[in-house]
């Protein structure tokens, strides 16, 4: 059955087309400007609220696109490699002029990098374009150092608008155009590959036409509700981020 392979090939062509025809980071990555803005702001919040991240020196941005996150991490005084299978995307990233970043053309399903090397890894905007997340998480878990952290985002399959979209496409006999994930599946894959200390961050993102109200879903109250009543996070969050740590060697 070649459907999954065709799905990934289609997305690779889309990413190359995005990069060829767009100049802004959001367009190159295939996001709306408001969507990328909310995602980056959430990652900055995670970064700034976790001191352990700041102690890490060597990072990988797997699926870096135009290098939005790579540039942010580089500005924190961290050495970072931006990896993407779309050469046109990397060309646009390089042209943005951050000379301290190293760039690598590679497929996340076959990462050609040294094992046990990176202190931190982010993989954002990638899983929805893969047939499944298993190979990616396995590969990322192999190249993270003991004590290092892996951050992966995904589109939330339990979100009400996504449930409706899936149902609507099914009754119209239209193929899927994005792959949605469950928190439980990513948790299971991380544990299977030896990652522990797993944490969940809900990522609610309003449509662009309602973005002036985005601040409401980013208030402390909303975050408290999502953290303590995960059911609401599942129903109302467009996406989520899961982090896991590779245990320190005990020998």
């Amino acid at each position: 059955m070649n459907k999954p392979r065709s799905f990934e090939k289609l997305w690779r062509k889309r990413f190359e087309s995005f990069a060829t025809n767009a100049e802004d980071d959001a367009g190159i990555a295939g996001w709306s400007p408001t969507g990328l803005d909310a995602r980056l702001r959430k990652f900055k919040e995670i970064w700034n609220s976790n001191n352990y991240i700041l102690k890490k020196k060597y990072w990988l941005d797997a699926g870096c696109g135009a290098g939005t996150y790579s540039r942010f991490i580089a500005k924190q005084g961290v050495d970072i490699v931006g990896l993407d299978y779309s050469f046109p995307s990397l060309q646009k990233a390089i042209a943005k002029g951050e000379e301290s970043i190293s760039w690598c053309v590679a497929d996340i399903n076959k990462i050609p990098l040294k094992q046990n090397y990176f202190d931190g890894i982010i993989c954002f905007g990638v899983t929805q374009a893969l047939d499944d997340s298993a190979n990616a998480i396995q590969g990322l878990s192999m190249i993270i150092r003991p004590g290092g952290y892996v951050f992966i985002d995904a589109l939330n399959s339990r979100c009400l608008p996504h449930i409706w979209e899936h149902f609507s496409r099914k009754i119209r006999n239209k193929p899927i155009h994005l792959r949605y994930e469950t928190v439980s599946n990513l948790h299971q894959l991380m544990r299977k590959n030896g990652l522990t200390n797993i944490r969940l961050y809900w990522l609610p993102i309003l449509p662009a036409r309602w973005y002036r109200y985005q601040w409401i879903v980013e208030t402390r109250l909303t975050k408290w509700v999502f953290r303590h009543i995960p059911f609401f996070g599942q129903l109302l969050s467009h996406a989520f981020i899961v982090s896991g740590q590779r245990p320190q060697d005990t020998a």
Side-chain angles (χ1 to χ4, degrees), residues 80 141 164 209 227:
I80 179 130
S141 301
W164 170 251
R209 62 184 180 278
R227 183 169 62 254

Side-chain angles (χ1 to χ4, degrees), residues 43 47 52-62 70 73-74 78-82 101-102 113 117-124 144 148-151:
F43 181 65
W47 183 282
Y52 60 82
I53 295 180
L54 301 177
K55 299 177 182 178
K56 306 302 178 180
K57 298 299 184 182
Y58 303 103
W59 277 68
L60 172 68
D61 183 358
S70 298
I73 293 174
V78 174
D79 292 328
I80 179 130
V81 175
I101 301 173
S102 300
L113 299 174
Y117 183 78
F118 292 99
D119 295 301
I121 298 173
I122 63 170
C123 180
F124 291 168
I144 194 73
Y149 289 83
V150 178
F151 292 80

